[in-house]
Amino acid sequence: LEQYNQAQEYLQQSIETYQAVGNRWGSSSIISERGVIALLQKKYTLARSYFEQSIAIRRDLGNVLHRAGDLLWLGKVAEVQEQRAEAESHYQEALQLLEAVDEPINKASALFLLAKLRFTQGMQGVSSTLEQFQIALQLAQSGDSQPLLQEIREEIEKVNQ
């Protein structure tokens, strides 16, 4: 817990430095990182606030890739708070943004999270879920993301049981 608090303090100092020199991109990156730490601390309202701030800055800057990443994080916040419709909306928006960007890892994450959420909510069947997981798996393989590959493979096993 103390390490998280210390990290938040260091990140706040970084934000202030970026703001002092007018670097909005740097500020948005640090704000997003603060959101991740708040999420890990289960401070969901705070995490949501950080991700929303970062998304707004990145929208102004035209940073599609990182805005989509923040939307995925925001979706995770909504999902752990059992706000599944909101989570689905964030995952879907991220996936739509990523269609225009050649970045397989985030696209794989978005597709995987959306399919997993829809399946667990009974909104789509096994065959559709497995098809989307396979596409996400191929994307993750092309980007060589071992943790994501492992997570997708584990979910494929669960769905197949």
Side-chain angles (χ1 to χ4, degrees):
L1 184 61
E2 181 60 34
Q3 292 171 329
Y4 286 136
N5 292 334
Q6 188 175 19
Q8 288 288 23
E9 289 176 26
Y10 290 140
L11 291 172
Q12 181 58 39
Q13 292 170 5
S14 296
I15 290 170
E16 291 167 7
T17 300
Y18 280 125
Q19 288 174 338
V21 297
N23 185 332
R24 295 182 71 215
W25 187 88
S27 294
S28 71
S29 295
I30 301 301
I31 291 168
S32 181
E33 289 303 317
R34 291 192 80 184
V36 173
I37 291 171
L39 176 59
L40 293 171
Q41 292 178 293
K42 299 181 179 172
K43 295 180 178 180
Y44 303 125
T45 302
L46 188 58
R48 180 183 300 274
S49 174
Y50 286 134
F51 292 128
E52 288 172 347
Q53 288 174 53
S54 182
I55 288 167
I57 294 168
R58 289 172 170 175
R59 182 179 294 115
D60 289 347
L61 296 174
N63 186 325
V64 173
L65 177 61
H66 292 100
R67 188 171 103 208
D70 283 339
L71 283 163
L72 293 176
W73 282 113
L74 195 54
K76 287 182 181 187
V77 171
E79 194 169 351
V80 298
Q81 291 186 296
E82 298 184 4
Q83 297 169 342
R84 291 176 182 91
E86 181 182 338
E88 181 182 17
S89 175
H90 293 311
Y91 294 154
Q92 185 65 48
E93 185 179 353
L95 186 58
Q96 288 172 345
L97 288 172
L98 290 164
E99 291 300 326
V101 179
D102 184 28
E103 206 295 310
I105 300 301
N106 281 345
K107 196 180 294 186
S109 292
L111 183 60
F112 171 68
L113 290 169
L114 186 59
K116 182 179 170 185
L117 177 69
R118 288 178 174 167
F119 179 72
T120 59
Q121 294 304 299
M123 297 163 55
Q124 73 183 27
V126 171
S127 62
S128 178
T129 300
L130 288 173
E131 181 181 314
Q132 291 174 338
F133 282 176
Q134 288 298 328
I135 294 168
L137 188 65
Q138 290 171 350
L139 288 166
Q141 286 170 333
S142 71
D144 196 31
S145 172
Q146 293 306 315
L148 181 58
L149 285 167
Q150 182 64 31
E151 188 176 1
I152 295 169
R153 287 181 180 127
E154 288 171 5
E155 285 300 317
I156 289 172
E157 281 185 36
K158 287 179 189 176
V159 171
N160 276 322
Q161 292 179 353

